[in-house]
Amino acid sequence: INAEYMGGAAPPASATSDSSLSAKSTPSTSNRSSQSAASATSSLPVSTSSAAANPNGHTRCFLGNLAYAVTDEIVTDLFKDCGEITELKWNTDKTTGKFYGTGFVGFATAEAATKALALSGTEVLGRAIKVDFATGTRNPAQANNNGERGPPANSQRTKPPQPKPEGCCTVFLGNLNDQIDDETIIAFFDFCTASDVVAIRYPTDRTTGAFKRCAFVQFADSAHTDLAVAKNGQQLMDRTARIDYA
């Protein structure tokens, strides 16, 4: 966990900021003028079967491990050979406007989104970016988990936290986005620094290894759990976080 994440950076210039979105790596302070995203996209592979690589037809990708100096122009240039870009959103704190170093890019076609995945790991402004299908997001107009029309899964209400156990230093985070990572969680808990976080654990299914969309965050100081639980019900990425003492 790197304390550099706690710098309180502003969102990228000219970006569309979406405080209802937000989300796992290490920022760099490299000068963006010294590097070009285009240098890593000279020979983008074309999928011969985008349907097989993207069976659910995702057209939106999650972007992670972004440098705070990133801009719309740099990201647009990076993905220019993939296909038409229809949206670009940066994840920021709803209250402070602080940039989390993550975002989303949308494409006109599933084939374009599939091509974008090939750029995961490309170095942009000194950082290897992460690109993945944005599987954890939902459109409010879509059906709920039961296949019926209704509120999306990410709009669930949160129940009040339980009484704090004596000496508790760990909190539970539930209803997390699939693309959640350490840096986004640390940025979300903006009352402390990265050095105050002892560990973050992500439970997975014993059989399938699937992420259970929850985490346990251990703090060095028990007092920090009170501040963390006070954020219960706030938006973390595109979902309403459930936070309780563990």
Side-chain angles (χ1 to χ4, degrees), residues 12 15-16 40 58 66 76 108 121 146 150 171 177 184 199-200 219 221 229 240:
T16 299
H58 295 295
L66 298 172
T76 299
N146 297 321
V171 297
N177 185 291
T184 303
I200 301 178
F219 295 97
D221 187 344
V229 169
T240 302

Side-chain angles (χ1 to χ4, degrees), residues 9-11 17-23 90-102 154-155 184 187-190 231-241:
S17 174
D18 189 339
S19 60
S20 66
L21 302 172
S22 74
W90 307 114
N91 299 332
T92 60
D93 185 271
K94 185 176 182 180
T95 303
T96 66
K98 180 172 62 178
F99 177 46
Y100 284 147
T102 60
N154 60 6
S155 64
T184 303
F188 179 67
F189 292 135
D190 53 6
K231 286 179 167 284
N232 182 41
Q234 293 187 18
Q235 290 295 113
L236 176 54
M237 298 187 68
D238 62 337
R239 307 179 71 86
T240 302

Side-chain angles (χ1 to χ4, degrees), residues 130-186:
K130 295 182 358 181
V131 184
D132 200 357
F133 292 130
T135 57
T137 59
R138 292 177 59 88
N139 186 319
Q142 291 179 324
N144 59 25
N145 289 338
N146 297 321
E148 303 168 347
R149 304 295 294 185
N154 60 6
S155 64
Q156 63 178 256
R157 295 181 178 180
T158 56
K159 63 180 182 181
Q162 64 178 334
K164 179 180 179 179
E166 184 177 355
C168 177
C169 289
T170 303
V171 297
F172 167 83
L173 273 69
N175 193 37
L176 299 178
N177 185 291
D178 284 336
Q179 281 82 32
I180 194 71
D181 57 21
D182 288 2
E183 68 176 62
T184 303
I185 290 177
I186 293 171

Side-chain angles (χ1 to χ4, degrees), residues 76-97:
T76 299
D77 188 49
L78 175 66
F79 295 110
K80 65 182 180 181
D81 294 329
C82 297
E84 180 185 354
I85 295 175
T86 59
E87 70 165 331
L88 183 58
K89 293 184 178 180
W90 307 114
N91 299 332
T92 60
D93 185 271
K94 185 176 182 180
T95 303
T96 66

Side-chain angles (χ1 to χ4, degrees), residues 164 171 222-231 245:
K164 179 180 179 179
V171 297
S222 178
H224 284 148
T225 62
D226 299 324
L227 298 173
V229 169
K231 286 179 167 284
Y245 298 107

Side-chain angles (χ1 to χ4, degrees), residues 2-142:
N2 194 319
E4 191 176 356
Y5 288 121
M6 305 309 295
S14 73
T16 299
S17 174
D18 189 339
S19 60
S20 66
L21 302 172
S22 74
K24 292 178 185 175
S25 290
T26 318
S28 167
T29 56
S30 302
N31 189 319
R32 65 174 177 269
S33 64
S34 65
Q35 299 189 45
S36 170
S39 63
T41 63
S42 57
S43 58
L44 188 65
V46 177
S47 174
T48 57
S49 178
S50 60
N54 186 0
N56 294 318
H58 295 295
T59 59
R60 200 168 188 242
C61 293
F62 165 80
L63 306 177
N65 199 32
L66 298 172
Y68 289 129
V70 73
T71 64
D72 284 14
E73 291 74 20
I74 290 175
V75 174
T76 299
D77 188 49
L78 175 66
F79 295 110
K80 65 182 180 181
D81 294 329
C82 297
E84 180 185 354
I85 295 175
T86 59
E87 70 165 331
L88 183 58
K89 293 184 178 180
W90 307 114
N91 299 332
T92 60
D93 185 271
K94 185 176 182 180
T95 303
T96 66
K98 180 172 62 178
F99 177 46
Y100 284 147
T102 60
F104 292 91
V105 58
F107 296 93
T109 66
E111 181 180 3
T114 302
K115 290 180 181 179
L117 259 65
L119 294 173
S120 185
T122 299
E123 186 172 303
V124 178
L125 299 180
R127 305 192 64 188
I129 68 167
K130 295 182 358 181
V131 184
D132 200 357
F133 292 130
T135 57
T137 59
R138 292 177 59 88
N139 186 319
Q142 291 179 324

Side-chain angles (χ1 to χ4, degrees), residues 202-224:
Y202 301 92
T204 56
D205 185 274
R206 288 186 177 182
T207 303
T208 66
F211 175 45
K212 292 186 175 182
R213 293 186 177 178
C214 63
F216 291 90
V217 181
Q218 181 181 355
F219 295 97
D221 187 344
S222 178
H224 284 148

